[in-house]
């Protein structure tokens, strides 16, 4: 018996399972999916759970049901790449012939004092539940501050404005504009939306510290009932601690086949993989397609192709509440209701397909 172990039932891990579980999979190969949750969580939509506009049940997708697939629930504590063993918090271990690491990312706090201890997160289902609870307990006229004006921060603040019009909402960002990596048209549209919906935008910020109920911008205190952190990510701790080469945010540097060069039977997908494209569900799925293809050749002892096509996004979608949004597809930027409809449709199709 040979075993393929996939750590993490996220976008990349599920895409690999979907592709590898084909009729031509050899009978002696068994697949084990490891996850700490009994379902796939739609992480791109966690902001809506935190804001209270979408129930958790709508963000769950069941894992595949296949006799060739075993699902093990647990928390990974470490990997021994040489011995080919995965270690768990309860003392269990799993050995593997091939390993896929898709453990996702964690918040990056940039060594800012108090940021990790005194802010809320939307990086995991568990932390998002806690963020929802914290926001839900804020009294009318209270204040919620979102630190970070990227896609996650913008969607979080917009959804919160719609769900809690009684609250004061602000975004603190270090750039000149929110959504700074995106086309100017989208930056201006989102900024105008927030101005019209009475969300305070604080630009050119420098968060120097966080205390209970206070975030310090250029050392000046800014009071807030809840502080939500969306100001950067880093690879999962398990990957950051491996004796391998990583980039500046701890993601594994890989060869052209998405393998750890020193251990080519170990693949890395999603936010743990150092790629030229920004971390996203789309990147993870494109990677997943390629990894599945190489894995199937590995399993059958076939030669790899000389090269793989570059990872290329089709575009991206973002929401401003439930009625408006923005999109970028190639050289085309789209704003307004149609962009939001497209995003809702894409989410519906994904859930229907995976479910």
């Amino acid at each position: 018996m040979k075993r393929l172990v996939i750590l993490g039932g996220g976008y990349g891990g599920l895409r690999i399972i979907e592709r590898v579980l084909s009729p031509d999979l050899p009978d002696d190969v068994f697949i084990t999916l490891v996850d700490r949750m009994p379902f796939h969580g739609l992480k791109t939509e966690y902001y809506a759970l935190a804001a209270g506009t979408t129930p958790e049940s709508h963000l769950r997708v069941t894992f595949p049901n296949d006799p060739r697939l075993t699902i093990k629930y647990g928390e990974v504590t470490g990997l021994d790449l040489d011995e080919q063993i995965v270690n768990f918090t309860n003392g269990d271990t799993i050995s593997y012939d091939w390993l896929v690491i898709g453990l996702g990312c964690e918040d990056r706090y940039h060594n800012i004092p108090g940021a990790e201890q005194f802010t809320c997160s939307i990086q995991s289902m568990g932390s998002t539940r806690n963020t929802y609870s914290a926001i839900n307990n804020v009294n009318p006229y209270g204040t919620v501050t979102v630190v970070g004006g990227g896609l996650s921060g913008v969607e979080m603040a917009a959804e919160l404005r719609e769900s809690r019009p009684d609250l004061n909402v602000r975004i603190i960002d270090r750039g000149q504009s929110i959504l700074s990596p995106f086309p100017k048209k989208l930056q201006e549209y989102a900024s105008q939306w927030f101005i019209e919906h009475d969300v305070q935008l604080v630009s050119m910020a420098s968060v120097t510290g966080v205390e209970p109920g206070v975030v310090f911008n250029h050392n000046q205190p800014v009071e807030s009932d809840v502080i939500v952190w969306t100001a950067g990510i880093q690879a999962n701790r398990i990957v950051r601690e491996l004796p391998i080469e990583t980039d500046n945010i701890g993601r594994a540097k890989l060869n052209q086949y998405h393998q750890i060069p020193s251990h080519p039977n170990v693949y890395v997908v999603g936010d743990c993989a150092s790629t030229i494209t920004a971390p996203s569900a789309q990147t993870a799925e494109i990677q997943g397609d390629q990894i599945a293809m190489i894995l199937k050749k590995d399993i059958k002892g076939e030669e790899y192709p000389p090269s793989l096509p570059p990872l290329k996004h089709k575009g991206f979608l973002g929401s401003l509440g439930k009625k408006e949004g923005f999109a970028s597809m190639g050289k085309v930027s789209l704003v307004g209701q149609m962009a939001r409809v497209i995003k809702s449709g894409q989410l519906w199709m994904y859930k229907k397909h995976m479910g």
Side-chain angles (χ1 to χ4, degrees), residues 234-255:
Q234 60 185 343
N236 186 284
R237 175 187 60 81
I238 301 297
V239 173
R240 300 202 311 271
E241 294 178 353
L242 289 175
I244 60 173
E245 188 177 3
T246 58
D247 64 14
N248 65 320
I249 57 172
R251 301 179 303 176
K253 291 189 175 183
L254 308 172
N255 64 21

Side-chain angles (χ1 to χ4, degrees), residues 158 161-162 189-197 320-321 324:
R161 165 47 71 229
E162 286 199 352
Y189 177 79
S191 296
Q192 186 61 34
W193 190 95
F194 282 121
I195 291 170
E196 292 174 358
H197 289 79
L320 293 169
E324 295 187 56

Side-chain angles (χ1 to χ4, degrees), residues 28 49 115 221:
D28 63 342
L49 172 60

